[in-house]
Amino acid sequence: MSGRARLTLFALLATLLTSGALLPLVHPATWMFQAAALAAVQSGVGAAARRVPLARPLTVAAQLLVSLLLLMLLFAGRGASTGSGPLAYLVTDFGGLYGQGVRDVGEFAIPAPLTDGIRLLLITGVLVIGLLVDMLAVTARAAAAAGLPLLALYSVAAGLSGGGGASWLWFVLAGCGYLLMLLAESRDRLAQWGRVFGGAAPGGRPSQNGLGAGNRPLAPVRTGRRIGAVALGLALAVPAALPALSSGLLDARGGGGGGGVGTGVGQAVNPLVALQDSLNTQDDREVLKYRTDGKQLSDQYLRILSLDQFDGVKWEASARALSDLPAQLPNPPGLSRDLLASSDEIRTSISASGTYAQRYLPMPYPATGVDVRGRWRFEPVGRTLVGEQLGKDKYQNAQGAQYTVRSVELRPTAEQLAAAPPAAPEVLGENTRLPDNLPSVVSETARKVTQGARGDYAKAVKLQDYFAVNGGFTYDTKVASGSGSQAIAKFLADKRGFCIHFSFSMATMARSLGIPARVAVGFAPGTKQGDGSVVVTMRDAHAWPELYFEGVGWTRFEPTPQRGNAPAYTRPQTPVSQPSASAALPSPTASAPTPAPSRSEDCTPKQKQLGDCGNAAASAGAGGGAGGVPVGAVLGWSALAVLLLAVPLVPLLWRGRVRGRRLRSGDPLEAWRELGDAAWDVGIAPDEALSPRAAAARIVADGRLEADAAEAVRRVAGAVERELYARPDAVVGATESGDVLAVRRALLAALSRPARLRALLAPRSAVRVLWAASAHWSTLTQRTTALTHRLRPRRP
């Protein structure tokens, strides 16, 4: 095997080994066999083109064209057909399948089912990476640079899969493939040097190909292997040995910073650090998807746990005994029978992502029943479900769970909250405790803000409005997280923070006023989709305060500006336009510092908090370009798509141009040539030895033409015979172009869809272009040789 052929083989092997990192993303993994077969054909086309040899751009173009044709043949008929002809197939059917794949990727959790769209995306990705690796390593002879597309493929796959126990295996395979490719290139270069420095064959004779006795590699090939093995070993061992790198490749949690109770992965929502990481993440992946029959989607918060203890350093959940999960959960504490009777029970079907491994089960509050598989325990005070311990460092979690929650859609009024009697002593004693080191500024600010308010409800509303509307606070996820006493005092002074600061500060200030308060952690309602489902992403992670009112129970408030939705019972009683439950809610995904409260006359801060001017705010934000798609990127990708579509259309366009020129001439001989090429395109090869009448009979028979099309063939053949054999002064007349087009349509209609696409996109008669180019080249070569010979000075 030649050095270049060996390098081609190892470049293909490196691509396939690195593509193994994509296997955990989809189930089943049968797509890999198809990708390997197509990648092998692509590499074979490159090897054949280099052997001819063709110029480097032509080699890459040939590989790209063959890969596109193979993809079209493999996925022919997979998409919904909406038209006829190659353009409809390329633009509508084939493009629609790509679009379906993109939608499937956003729809399903990992591992996703192997739909046709996802399979097309995976195979296309492997072919693109394989083409880049082959182009760099073999065509351009730069194997080291070929590691960049391999690294991109591995990084994307590892990032989407979120790591895992076998992630080290994919890293080793990808690294081995890259090293083997480098060694293949090095051996080929060494063989061209003539002798190897640093080693010799037995008997003192230098090796000519880098190999010694028994075809064993000599130095530096052998040294290269050792260096590669040591490099892979260090890449695996160092992250495990250094604590600072424990969240790297070998970390089974799939990312650092989780740290929550039984989280297991970085996506689990931790009340402090991980919540801030979720809000700032660039990977806004889906964690939950649900459907509900509730009327007020804006109130559909998904609660994970409640934090009810504050020791001056942090807020945390009390350690309480867990009980078995009952079929019917007990009534929520503090909720009166009258309010419960006037409320509706709703059902919410929730599907958790395969990468969301939180130990607490997200649920609407207050839940009355949960249908879920697995080993879950019920904490009655916080009304949360906690996964049992299944083994050492292993807990039941929400990863991939599908469950249904029955909950109560409470609709208390401001009058009911204002008339609430004092809370029971046990509730007051446990939920109004504050640390001794609480700075006085917290309680002083609370009294100042609520001055003149009568009753706990009026004070709570004033606290909410102070943070969300008129206190001059700015929402900023870049501020350092913290829930201690000093962090709260600093937040009140700086007036800049995110939901952690707002919720903890309001709960602390409420407790200083004697109002029972705690903090809930979970997710905001999410974004409603066109199919009625609601998607919750990482940036929907949220925290909010819950205040206790006797007769209503724990009641949600929303002090965080531009996040979540202010409850209806805290809104002014004047008529305002309220968001419809059927409208798609804007996803609260702001991760950059927001400006100070707007002074716009069109949208007041109060209206922003109530969600009454979301469209205007969105329109204003759209002009900034921060969340829009760059025009340059759209134009660039559009140009690339047009180029990719134009390459396989070249033979089709050439045939159309030739067909039009021939039929417009009115010459029977030109029409006959076009008819012969149309038959050739569908597989009926021309036979120059046959007469026009015999050739017409062959086209009718092999093309399985019906009576009308067969008669059209005979008319064209008759016109050719008259042209060839009639008297010179006889008037033959022009051939009807409609006969040729009718025959062509009939020939194509008799084929299967893949064969028809092949005839249109890769017509056999297009070989005439190569023949013509070869003839022109031969003529040019002969003329150049003659001119050179003529100009060469004659020797005396």
Side-chain angles (χ1 to χ4, degrees):
M1 182 183 296
S2 65
R4 178 162 285 192
R6 184 184 298 108
L7 183 56
T8 301
L9 179 62
F10 279 103
L12 172 63
L13 181 62
T15 301
L16 296 181
L17 289 177
T18 308
S19 301
L22 296 170
L23 293 178
L25 303 180
V26 177
H27 181 77
T30 53
W31 65 271
M32 191 63 181
F33 298 104
Q34 295 175 330
L38 267 62
V41 174
Q42 178 179 263
S43 298
V45 171
R50 286 185 289 265
R51 192 174 180 84
V52 169
L54 290 179
R56 291 180 179 181
L58 293 180
T59 299
V60 177
Q63 291 178 282
L64 181 60
L65 178 60
V66 170
S67 300
L68 288 172
L69 292 177
L70 290 175
L71 282 176
M72 293 174 189
L73 293 178
L74 179 62
F75 289 92
R78 298 290 182 179
S81 180
T82 56
S84 59
L87 287 177
Y89 176 70
L90 286 172
V91 177
T92 306
D93 301 352
F94 201 60
L97 198 56
Y98 270 111
Q100 183 60 47
V102 174
R103 289 190 294 272
D104 290 343
V105 168
E107 178 77 14
F108 297 106
I110 296 173
L114 187 60
T115 63
D116 288 329
I118 293 178
R119 183 162 59 99
L120 176 59
L121 291 179
L122 289 172
I123 295 177
T124 301
V126 172
L127 290 179
V128 170
I129 297 299
L131 179 61
L132 292 175
V133 172
D134 187 86
M135 177 184 67
L136 292 172
V138 189
T139 303
R141 302 306 295 265
L148 294 177
L150 293 176
L151 177 62
L153 177 60
Y154 174 79
S155 300
V156 170
L160 291 177
S161 62
S167 59
W168 63 269
L169 175 61
W170 309 123
F171 176 77
V172 170
L173 291 177
C176 288
Y178 180 55
L179 290 177
L180 289 173
M181 181 176 62
L182 290 179
L183 289 174
E185 185 199 37
S186 300
R187 179 174 296 181
D188 184 39
R189 292 183 183 275
L190 287 174
Q192 298 175 17
W193 290 353
R195 62 178 298 178
V196 177
F197 300 97
R205 291 176 300 175
S207 172
Q208 298 298 320
N209 60 355
L211 299 177
N215 287 330
R216 291 179 299 177
L218 298 174
V221 176
R222 184 171 61 243
T223 304
R225 287 183 177 177
R226 293 172 181 172
I227 293 174
V230 171
L232 279 178
L234 290 176
L236 291 173
V238 171
L242 298 180
L245 301 179
S246 60
S247 62
L249 178 65
L250 299 181
D251 186 8
R253 295 176 300 174
V261 179
T263 58
V265 295
Q267 262 192 276
V269 175
N270 178 279
L272 295 178
V273 179
L275 179 53
Q276 184 176 21
D277 293 342
S278 301
L279 297 174
N280 286 323
T281 182
Q282 298 299 317
D283 183 13
D284 190 23
R285 71 179 64 181
E286 173 186 322
V287 291
L288 298 170
K289 189 172 186 178
Y290 67 89
R291 292 179 181 272
T292 182
D293 56 5
K295 297 178 181 178
Q296 291 295 330
L297 186 60
S298 60
D299 294 331
Q300 192 78 5
Y301 281 61
L302 297 178
R303 197 167 165 275
I304 295 176
L305 76 164
S306 62
L307 312 176
D308 56 0
Q309 279 194 352
F310 182 43
D311 58 4
V313 178
K314 61 183 180 300
W315 281 83
E316 61 183 358
S318 300
R320 295 188 176 92
L322 304 178
S323 62
D324 293 335
L325 177 61
Q328 181 71 25
L329 302 184
N331 288 337
L335 184 61
S336 66
R337 294 184 178 180
D338 293 339
L339 182 59
L340 184 62
S342 63
S343 303
D344 297 329
E345 184 177 72
I346 63 174
R347 295 175 64 89
T348 305
S349 298
I350 305 174
S351 175
S353 167
T355 58
Y356 178 71
Q358 175 62 256
R359 187 181 172 190
Y360 291 90
L361 197 67
M363 301 185 300
Y365 184 87
T368 57
V370 185
D371 299 324
V372 60
R373 294 181 179 180
R375 299 172 60 180
W376 296 91
R377 305 276 284 174
F378 178 62
E379 196 276 288
V381 177
R383 300 185 68 81
T384 57
L385 262 61
V386 186
E388 285 190 13
Q389 186 168 2
L390 305 178
K392 184 180 179 181
D393 298 328
K394 185 178 181 181
Y395 297 86
Q396 176 71 54
N397 58 50
Q399 188 173 15
Q402 295 184 353
Y403 55 101
T404 301
V405 181
R406 301 183 302 279
S407 60
V408 178
E409 191 175 49
L410 299 176
R411 291 187 292 272
T413 63
E415 291 76 9
Q416 289 175 318
L417 292 170
E426 58 271 17
V427 176
L428 282 171
E430 185 175 354
N431 295 282
T432 57
R433 294 176 185 168
L434 289 173
D436 295 334
N437 63 349
L438 184 70
S440 59
V441 66
V442 178
S443 56
E444 291 174 359
T445 303
R447 288 193 298 270
K448 180 179 180 181
V449 169
T450 59
Q451 186 176 7
R454 301 180 59 182
D456 290 350
Y457 165 73
K459 295 177 180 178
V461 173
K462 282 204 169 187
L463 287 177
Q464 173 182 277
D465 291 346
Y466 170 67
F467 289 109
V469 180
N470 52 36
F473 288 84
T474 300
Y475 181 82
D476 185 357
T477 61
K478 304 300 182 181
V479 177
S481 61
S483 61
S485 299
Q486 298 302 323
I488 294 176
K490 186 176 186 300
F491 170 66
L492 293 177
D494 297 343
K495 295 190 175 183
R496 182 177 294 272
F498 60 102
C499 58
I500 288 292
H501 303 90
F502 287 95
S503 58
F504 289 167
S505 298
M506 179 174 172
T508 304
M509 293 170 70
R511 285 191 172 193
S512 71
L513 298 173
I515 307 174
R518 64 188 186 185
V519 177
V521 178
F523 294 98
T527 304
K528 192 169 185 179
Q529 308 298 303
D531 60 355
S533 64
V534 183
V535 170
V536 178
T537 67
M538 287 297 295
R539 293 190 195 170
D540 290 316
H542 192 38
W544 59 93
E546 292 180 337
L547 277 57
Y548 184 87
F549 294 90
E550 193 66 39
V552 180
W554 289 104
T555 307
R556 177 179 66 87
F557 285 80
E558 187 53 85
T560 307
Q562 301 187 12
R563 290 281 295 179
N565 304 278
Y569 44 79
T570 65
R571 298 177 181 178
Q573 300 303 308
T574 54
V576 294
S577 58
Q578 300 189 8
S580 173
S582 60
L585 291 173
S587 178
T589 58
S591 61
T594 57
S598 172
R599 295 188 175 91
S600 170
E601 297 179 359
D602 298 331
C603 186
T604 65
K606 184 69 175 179
Q607 289 174 324
K608 287 184 178 180
Q609 168 65 8
L610 299 180
D612 296 334
C613 55
N615 293 336
S619 301
V629 180
V631 177
V634 173
L635 295 177
W637 283 108
S638 300
L640 180 59
V642 171
L643 179 62
L644 291 178
L645 291 175
V647 170
L649 291 178
V650 170
L652 172 68
L653 297 176
W654 176 82
R655 281 289 292 119
R657 181 173 179 274
V658 171
R659 183 184 309 112
R661 176 176 53 81
R662 287 173 173 174
L663 297 182
R664 284 194 301 270
S665 66
D667 187 353
L669 295 179
E670 290 293 326
W672 179 249
R673 293 189 185 96
E674 176 56 34
L675 184 61
D677 283 354
W680 190 6
D681 292 341
V682 300
I684 306 174
D687 188 349
E688 301 296 339
L690 297 177
S691 66
R693 189 168 301 183
R698 180 167 171 264
I699 293 174
V700 171
D702 293 349
R704 302 186 299 276
L705 299 180
E706 302 293 338
D708 294 341
E711 185 61 30
V713 173
R714 297 187 186 98
R715 284 197 296 269
V716 176
V720 172
E721 289 180 342
R722 290 192 298 272
E723 176 69 20
L724 294 175
Y725 306 119
R727 295 195 311 271
D729 57 346
V731 179
V732 177
T735 303
E736 290 292 336
S737 60
D739 288 341
V740 179
L741 296 177
V743 173
R744 179 175 176 272
R745 286 194 296 268
L747 290 171
L748 292 174
L751 301 177
S752 63
R753 186 171 186 179
R756 188 183 312 121
L757 288 173
R758 195 259 189 228
L760 291 171
L761 298 176
R764 295 170 175 84
S765 61
V767 73
R768 295 188 186 276
V769 177
L770 298 180
W771 293 349
S774 178
H776 285 302
W777 178 258
S778 298
T779 303
L780 179 62
T781 302
Q782 293 174 1
R783 291 180 178 176
T784 303
T785 302
L787 180 60
T788 303
H789 182 73
R790 189 180 304 114
L791 296 177
R792 183 181 302 169
R794 297 182 180 181
R795 294 182 180 178

